[in-house]
Amino acid sequence: MAVYSGALKDKIHKLKYEGMSGWAMIFGRLLVGWMESHPEQMRGVDHVVGNPAHSGRQPIQHIEAIMDAAYTEDTTRSFPLSPPGAHRLVKDTETPRSANRTLEGKRAAAAAHAAALTWTGDTGEIKGSTILLVDDVFTSGSQLQQVALRLRASGAADVRGLVLARVPWSG
C-alpha cells in the first residue's frame, strides 16, 4: 500500500511495539477501504486472513487487532473476514523474530514462523480456496512466501498478499 517510512512507520511501530490500539482501527479501516476500491483483486477471494502474531505477543497481537477492526468496519459483511476471536490462521508457538536479522536469518525465521501456524477452520474450507494474506510490513518477502507455501501445501489454490507498508529498497 505505502512505503514504510516517516509517519506511517511511526504509527505502525506505535501499534506493534507500544500497543496503541487506536491505530488498529485506522489500519482496519484502510484495509476495508482497499478491498472496497479494488473489486477486481478481491474477485474470487474466499478468506481474508492476517499473518498472525504469536498468541502471547506483548503488548498486543497487532495483526489480529487490525483484522478485528476490519471486521467491525465491514458492517455489510461484504468481505470474507473472520469475526473477532475466531481467526482462521493462528500462531500459538513463539518463534524467532526476523527484525534486525540478515537475509538468511530472515528466511530461517520465516520458515519457523510458517511452520508454527495452524488453520483453525474446517480443513475443507482451505481446499481449493483463494486466500488474501494480510500483513503489516513487507521487508524481504520471506515471511509472506513461507506462509503462502504453507497454505498452498494445506490445499489453498491461490494465496495473494497485501501489506500496509513495504520497506524501501536499499541499493
Side-chain angles (χ1 to χ4, degrees):
M1 287 184 163
V3 175
Y4 184 64
S5 64
L8 180 59
K9 180 178 180 179
D10 178 61
K11 301 322 179 231
I12 291 173
H13 190 273
K14 286 186 182 308
L15 170 62
K16 196 170 183 170
Y17 299 108
E18 297 175 28
M20 295 182 72
S21 59
W23 287 106
M25 180 183 69
I26 292 167
F27 294 139
R29 285 182 180 170
L30 284 173
L31 174 58
V32 170
W34 184 91
M35 291 188 294
E36 288 173 342
S37 64
H38 292 82
E40 62 284 352
Q41 282 93 345
M42 289 303 298
R43 192 168 296 114
V45 171
D46 300 299
H47 306 285
V48 178
V49 299
N51 184 15
H54 173 249
S55 59
R57 188 180 196 291
Q58 295 299 320
I60 189 172
Q61 281 184 275
H62 60 292
I63 299 299
E64 289 77 358
I66 292 169
M67 299 308 293
D68 289 350
Y71 181 88
T72 300
E73 183 67 19
D74 180 24
T75 58
T76 61
R77 300 294 164 252
S78 300
F79 305 106
L81 294 155
S82 299
H87 299 280
R88 288 186 182 98
L89 195 58
V90 298
K91 181 179 175 187
D92 291 326
T93 305
E94 192 168 7
T95 58
R97 291 190 179 180
S98 63
N100 303 318
R101 292 180 179 261
T102 65
L103 181 57
E104 206 48 49
K106 287 182 182 300
R107 288 178 178 155
H113 170 79
L117 301 181
T118 304
W119 184 266
T120 63
D122 178 350
T123 54
E125 282 183 333
I126 198 170
K127 302 290 185 212
S129 67
T130 296
I131 298 172
L132 178 63
L133 180 63
V134 178
D135 209 347
D136 57 344
V137 179
F138 179 98
T139 304
S140 68
S142 296
Q143 198 166 96
L144 280 177
Q145 179 186 37
Q146 289 297 316
V147 174
L149 289 170
R150 169 98 181 197
L151 291 169
R152 294 286 307 268
S154 298
D158 185 27
V159 180
R160 303 170 187 176
L162 178 65
V163 295
L164 293 174
R166 67 165 178 81
V167 172
W169 298 110
S170 58

